[in-house]
Amino acid sequence: MLWVVRLSGFCSAAMIMVVLSPSLQSFPPAEAIRSSHYLGISNGGYDHHIAAVSGVADGSRFRRAPIFHNAAECEPPSANGTCVCDPSLVHIAITLDEEYLRGSIAAVHSVLTHARCPESVFFHLLLSEPGLEPVVRSSLPGLRLKAYYFDPDRVRGLISTSVRQALEQPLNYARNYLAEILERCVSRVIYLDSDLVVVDDIGKLWRTGLGSRPVGAPEYCHANFTKYFTARFWSDRRLAATFAGRRPCYFNTGVMVLDLVRWRRSGYTRRIERWMKVQKSGAATGGAGRIYELGSLPPFLLVFAGHVAPIDHRWNQHGLGGDNVRGSCRDLHRGPVSLLHWSGSGKPWVRLDSNRPCPLDHLWAPYDLYEPAVA
């Protein structure tokens, strides 16, 4: 089973196809890449048959997934189970825009597919444009969700240019405002990017203890932390002193567990905004005063690096979209896998549609509900 955990997409195409093709397997797709410790976990009510097809205003179409039900051992949904304040719910926040709609729907689909108690999962959708919520509801019937419009003007004036234009989109910064956007009764939330799939029970991540920390995420302390900030930042003793007394490690902000009670109490949104203003003022001087280049990530590192509750790396096998190099392919990191994340410029749906997929893109495909328009 070693090849299962450390999948190498370049070894055996035949073996990969057996694992990945839904028509050839007798188990959910995630079972193919779980360690043996997690084998046997299934969704009590999951039906692999895909039903009707739902239409979208722009002509794209999405297949309708089955309704997902709790496994027998799950606590029955309470009478007020549809209320966002139900304390038994698992809260997940994810952004939704037209460009990443396909990825967002696949991410939600993957969570429901492998959740032990999918009826207890509540999704908070952060939208940048109207009209997308009905698409999600029609493709994932029975989904518990609430949609929130995130006004781009709320953050547009704080955003400076980045190494990739995609990193400058206002919706990338919506995660900074979850404590303000979500209802006060929501004390904890899992934030997920739109370019990932979950292949394990999300309840395990939800139950991860954060101790006294406001943020939990897989940390990568072997990474060169200095590269996330400019020479101007490190040469300014006052700025560099931000990390004094801390052991800052890189963490990817695409998968985080947030303690919203601590967040609200300590005003972390304003702290992030203050660093964005420092960056913005430096960028306005011809770029000489910039303190970072990578969009929404560095402000998070400035506020939280060294104060993060470490979560097992299995919950963010990131970088599968390449190291910001279009067309590059990555292998999985060493160890078991619970979440696959196509961070970087290469997205699996784009590469699959162009018939130039990376081997691991086929692990994303079973959760894709997109139905190409018929000419």
Side-chain angles (χ1 to χ4, degrees):
M1 290 295 289
L2 182 59
W3 70 272
V4 174
V5 178
R6 300 178 57 194
L7 179 61
S8 175
F10 304 95
C11 294
S12 174
M15 185 172 293
I16 289 178
M17 288 308 298
V18 169
V19 171
L20 300 176
S21 174
S23 63
L24 296 176
Q25 62 191 24
S26 59
F27 42 77
E31 302 299 323
I33 53 174
R34 287 183 186 162
S35 67
S36 58
H37 179 70
Y38 289 97
L39 290 176
I41 291 180
S42 63
N43 179 347
Y46 182 66
D47 177 1
H48 286 283
H49 176 69
I50 299 296
V53 176
S54 58
V56 187
D58 64 0
S60 60
R61 299 159 65 86
F62 289 84
R63 295 189 301 277
R64 183 173 298 164
I67 296 177
F68 298 85
H69 298 290
N70 286 352
E73 64 272 23
C74 294
E75 181 180 344
S78 60
N80 66 337
T82 57
C83 175
V84 68
C85 294
D86 184 343
S88 68
L89 296 176
V90 172
H91 295 277
I92 298 177
I94 189 168
T95 57
L96 199 66
D97 64 3
E98 187 173 358
E99 182 179 0
Y100 281 80
L101 175 62
R102 186 172 172 184
S104 297
I105 289 178
V108 173
H109 186 204
S110 71
V111 170
L112 297 175
T113 298
H114 300 290
R116 297 285 294 175
C117 307
E119 293 178 274
S120 297
V121 181
F122 193 100
F123 287 88
H124 302 266
L125 305 182
L126 307 174
L127 292 81
S128 64
E129 51 203 281
L132 296 180
E133 177 189 355
V135 181
V136 179
R137 288 190 181 277
S138 61
S139 60
L140 294 160
L143 183 68
R144 295 188 178 187
L145 68 86
K146 182 172 181 178
Y148 310 77
Y149 173 69
F150 181 74
D151 186 354
D153 290 337
R154 187 170 191 173
V155 71
R156 201 189 304 277
L158 296 172
I159 299 175
S160 57
T161 57
S162 184
V163 293
R164 281 197 293 134
Q165 188 174 5
L167 300 178
E168 301 171 22
Q169 298 304 313
L171 199 59
N172 289 341
Y173 296 82
R175 73 195 87 184
N176 301 355
Y177 298 90
L178 287 172
E180 298 178 5
I181 295 173
L182 272 55
E183 286 77 358
R184 300 284 296 186
C185 63
V186 179
S187 60
R188 169 184 281 222
V189 68
I190 297 172
Y191 174 81
L192 298 178
D193 269 353
S194 299
D195 53 358
L196 56 77
V197 292
V198 176
V199 292
D200 203 345
D201 177 20
I202 197 67
K204 298 175 186 176
L205 180 59
W206 177 255
R207 292 187 292 271
T208 300
L210 303 185
S212 61
R213 302 297 172 85
V215 174
E219 287 187 301
Y220 299 87
C221 295
H222 63 279
N224 180 7
F225 189 81
T226 61
K227 71 178 183 179
Y228 296 102
F229 303 94
T230 64
R232 183 269 197 251
F233 175 88
W234 294 113
S235 64
D236 188 317
R237 292 184 179 180
R238 184 171 52 88
L239 293 174
T242 301
F243 295 111
R246 296 157 63 178
R247 183 172 180 261
C249 296
Y250 163 76
F251 64 97
N252 180 277
T253 54
V255 180
M256 298 184 292
V257 182
L258 306 179
D259 183 331
L260 298 182
V261 175
R262 293 184 183 277
W263 187 295
R264 295 173 181 127
R265 184 186 304 146
S266 299
Y268 286 116
T269 296
R270 301 287 86 80
R271 297 191 193 186
I272 293 173
E273 286 184 334
R274 282 198 292 270
W275 281 114
M276 293 176 68
K277 290 176 182 177
V278 172
Q279 165 76 349
K280 187 72 172 179
S281 62
T285 61
R290 295 172 65 92
I291 61 174
Y292 58 79
E293 304 288 350
L294 287 172
S296 62
L297 169 64
F300 251 86
L301 296 179
L302 285 161
V303 175
F304 296 111
H307 299 308
V308 172
I311 291 177
D312 195 295
H313 289 174
R314 70 186 303 141
W315 285 105
N316 195 355
Q317 287 267 344
H318 68 284
L320 303 185
D323 189 17
N324 294 331
V325 178
R326 191 175 300 277
S328 62
C329 292
R330 290 290 187 88
D331 197 1
L332 292 180
H333 309 165
R334 184 186 301 270
V337 181
S338 291
L339 185 149
L340 297 151
H341 187 185
W342 278 262
S343 56
S345 61
K347 302 308 174 188
W349 56 91
V350 175
R351 296 193 295 219
L352 287 164
D353 286 354
S354 64
N355 292 319
R356 298 180 60 186
C358 289
L360 292 179
D361 295 343
H362 294 286
L363 293 176
W364 178 89
Y367 308 100
D368 184 19
L369 295 177
Y370 180 74
E371 183 78 6
V374 178

